[in-house]
Amino acid sequence: MDGYAVVAEGLEKRYGDKHALAGFDLAVQQGSVHGLLGPNGAGKTTAVRVLATLLRFDGGRARVAGVDVRCEPRQVRRRIGLTGQYAAVDEVLTGRQNLEMFGRLFHLGGRRAVRRATELLEQFDLVGAGDKGVGTYSGGMRRRLDLAASMILAPDVLFLDEPTTGLDPRSRGEVWEAVRRLVAGGTTVLLTTQYLEEADRLASRITVIDQGRAIADDTPDGLKDRVGGDRIEVVARDAADLPAVAKAVARVADTDPTTDALERRVHAPVTDRVAALTDVARTLQEERIGVEDIGLRRPSLDDVFLRLTGHGTQTTEEAA
């Protein structure tokens, strides 16, 4: 498929009578971040390991960077980078020494390894810390160094398997910015994650995987549209006012509003978001109905995930 850096068709991977991948399909456009989203045990890591030639698959076919994964695994490895869930850097060495070591392991030779290490320290904003021991690095800095190490050979495709697991929000943001810079430079990124916000922020397209199959593939906004458009939501100050609030919302809603008596909340989908909000606010004010909150809510990827899979992202352990 022209224009696609990763293509998988009907991939199968079995462990005894258990299917880790059960006819998995995937198409990743060149020069993009493609999110692979699913709960633990859905098959995300298995799919990455298969595409990165670390696991043999039992059925289907796959191409990465234009190369057949089954027939030419060595050629695939020359075109990819892989970063796992935990940083694989030596904490005793400095950042620069780590990168030079990886360069030599990739047979760049001494001078080229030194030159490439300097380039990567600049690219990942680690020049100031390059000659410090990695043991002094923050979580985000270690992750960025790990990303840099995976880019030693400037791969066409980079697999990121849950790259921000365990990081604090600031460190996670640093990794996100590093990923954006990679894509701006032409690298294609396949990102597996359990963090719905991460997929929403980074990915131009998302494949949702569950029980070894792709159950949805669309842009983040396209996935959200499957759940429905904007919703108006009102939280009443007094539970006795819920019927009046529901009546006001019903005037502008596309369907009958839903009332949650425990949270004193009324919500419903609307088409003309601004007009609906203005109308409901005016009505409630005229009728002197007190509210604690009123606003428009767009569906999140959390809503999408629950609708598609029936459960959240945290479930069983990931298949090996």
Side-chain angles (χ1 to χ4, degrees), residues 34-35 37 199-200 203-208 216-220 223 301:
H34 192 111
L37 185 64
D200 207 358
S204 58
R205 197 167 187 89
I206 295 172
T207 296
V208 180
D217 184 287
D218 208 335
T219 64
L223 289 173
L301 284 181

Side-chain angles (χ1 to χ4, degrees), residues 232-235 277 280-281 284 291-297:
I232 189 168
E233 185 175 275
V234 181
V235 178
L277 181 62
V280 171
L284 295 176
V291 299
E292 289 187 356
D293 186 31
I294 181 171
L296 293 164
R297 307 287 185 260

Side-chain angles (χ1 to χ4, degrees), residues 88-234:
V89 291
D90 191 317
E91 295 190 1
V92 175
L93 301 178
T94 67
R96 185 182 303 277
Q97 288 169 337
N98 266 278
L99 295 177
E100 290 177 4
M101 176 185 68
F102 280 109
R104 289 174 179 273
L105 289 173
F106 280 107
H107 308 292
L108 291 185
R111 291 183 180 179
R112 287 187 62 197
V114 169
R115 186 166 61 250
R116 186 59 178 151
T118 298
E119 292 171 353
L120 290 168
L121 288 172
E122 292 176 355
Q123 183 177 351
F124 286 87
D125 195 23
L126 289 169
V127 174
D131 295 315
K132 297 178 181 179
V134 173
T136 66
Y137 283 20
S138 67
M141 292 169 66
R142 293 185 193 187
R143 232 16 185 145
R144 277 152 49 206
L145 181 64
D146 201 34
L147 284 172
S150 69
M151 295 293 293
I152 289 289
L153 296 183
D156 298 325
V157 179
L158 178 61
F159 296 105
L160 298 182
D161 189 13
E162 301 188 20
T164 60
T165 297
L167 295 184
D168 59 69
R170 179 178 178 179
S171 297
R172 190 174 299 158
E174 292 174 352
V175 173
W176 291 352
E177 186 56 36
V179 171
R180 293 188 183 103
R181 288 198 296 268
L182 288 176
V183 175
T187 299
T188 301
V189 173
L190 178 62
L191 167 75
T192 77
T193 183
Q194 293 179 17
Y195 296 123
L196 297 165
E197 180 191 11
E198 184 164 80
D200 207 358
R201 292 280 192 92
L202 288 178
S204 58
R205 197 167 187 89
I206 295 172
T207 296
V208 180
I209 180 174
D210 195 26
Q211 298 181 2
R213 294 185 176 88
I215 60 174
D217 184 287
D218 208 335
T219 64
D221 285 342
L223 289 173
K224 293 172 187 176
D225 287 342
R226 299 189 185 197
V227 177
D230 296 307
R231 305 179 70 83
I232 189 168
E233 185 175 275
V234 181

Side-chain angles (χ1 to χ4, degrees), residues 248-316:
V249 171
R251 290 174 46 189
V252 300
D254 297 335
T255 63
D256 291 337
T258 299
T259 300
D260 185 330
L262 185 63
E263 297 186 357
R264 307 188 309 280
R265 188 186 310 272
V266 176
H267 59 89
V270 294
T271 301
D272 191 339
R273 58 200 309 269
V274 176
L277 181 62
T278 302
D279 189 294
V280 171
R282 183 189 306 114
T283 298
L284 295 176
Q285 185 176 33
E286 290 173 351
E287 297 183 10
R288 297 184 178 182
I289 297 173
V291 299
E292 289 187 356
D293 186 31
I294 181 171
L296 293 164
R297 307 287 185 260
R298 178 144 176 79
S300 67
L301 284 181
D302 298 77
D303 300 320
V304 172
F305 203 88
L306 286 169
R307 175 69 64 86
L308 291 173
T309 69
H311 49 71
T313 55
Q314 304 291 332
T315 55
T316 60

Side-chain angles (χ1 to χ4, degrees), residues 7-47:
V7 178
E9 297 175 307
L11 283 186
E12 295 186 5
K13 178 61 183 178
R14 295 184 294 273
Y15 295 97
D17 59 354
K18 181 178 180 179
H19 281 75
L21 295 177
F24 176 64
D25 298 320
L26 179 69
V28 179
Q29 290 184 330
Q30 292 177 353
S32 70
V33 178
H34 192 111
L36 187 56
L37 185 64
N40 283 335
K44 301 188 303 296
T45 295
T46 300

